[in-house]
Amino acid sequence: MDGLQSHRVSKVHQLAWRHSKWEAYQAAFRKLTSTVDGIERQATPWPDWAVTTEIDTSAVWPTVWEAVCRHTTQMSIYERLQQLTVQQQVALWGSQEFYRLFSSVNGGRKLETDLFEGLR
């Protein structure tokens, strides 16, 4: 295959809920589970030290919430979200946390604030 170059991924992240976000989801959905290959699985919170990237979304969380509310056919699923306190809403939508699984451009323990940090 002349002329083709393979692509190498520079960074890989995984969603990593801190305890406060996990508690807010639990308050909204009670026991949040999924079934994979016949086995019920439940998300668990990540320890603070494992979060390597935190994106501040606090300025846009009201817009995100408004968008969620517009999905009227799905609102029965999200009905409990309306009952959350402002503190719980901020815990859900005010930031997004990730664990950096791999990076060829940076590392260390500095908390990143951009998924593309080191790539630009």
Side-chain angles (χ1 to χ4, degrees), residues 18 24 30 34 37 65 86 92-93 102 104:
R18 284 196 169 118
R30 306 294 181 246
S34 62
D37 296 330
W65 175 241
V86 171
L92 282 177
W93 316 113
F102 168 80
S104 64

Side-chain angles (χ1 to χ4, degrees), residues 12-100:
V12 178
H13 291 88
Q14 177 175 335
L15 194 61
W17 292 347
R18 284 196 169 118
H19 195 73
S20 60
K21 189 176 300 285
W22 185 81
E23 284 182 337
Y25 269 100
Q26 290 299 104
F29 297 109
R30 306 294 181 246
K31 187 177 180 185
L32 186 59
T33 64
S34 62
T35 302
V36 178
D37 296 330
I39 299 171
E40 185 178 87
R41 300 172 189 222
Q42 183 177 17
T44 57
W46 287 64
D48 284 347
W49 63 263
V51 174
T52 59
T53 309
E54 183 172 11
I55 311 300
D56 180 4
T57 54
S58 60
V60 297
W61 82 263
T63 304
V64 171
W65 175 241
E66 183 180 330
V68 168
C69 289
R70 294 192 185 271
H71 292 273
T72 56
T73 60
Q74 298 173 3
M75 277 313 288
S76 63
I77 297 170
Y78 297 107
E79 187 176 281
R80 291 186 187 146
L81 287 173
Q82 295 175 336
Q83 299 168 5
L84 296 180
T85 67
V86 171
Q87 183 179 355
Q88 290 170 321
Q89 292 283 2
V90 171
L92 282 177
W93 316 113
S95 67
Q96 297 300 311
E97 298 87 24
F98 300 88
Y99 173 71
R100 186 179 55 246

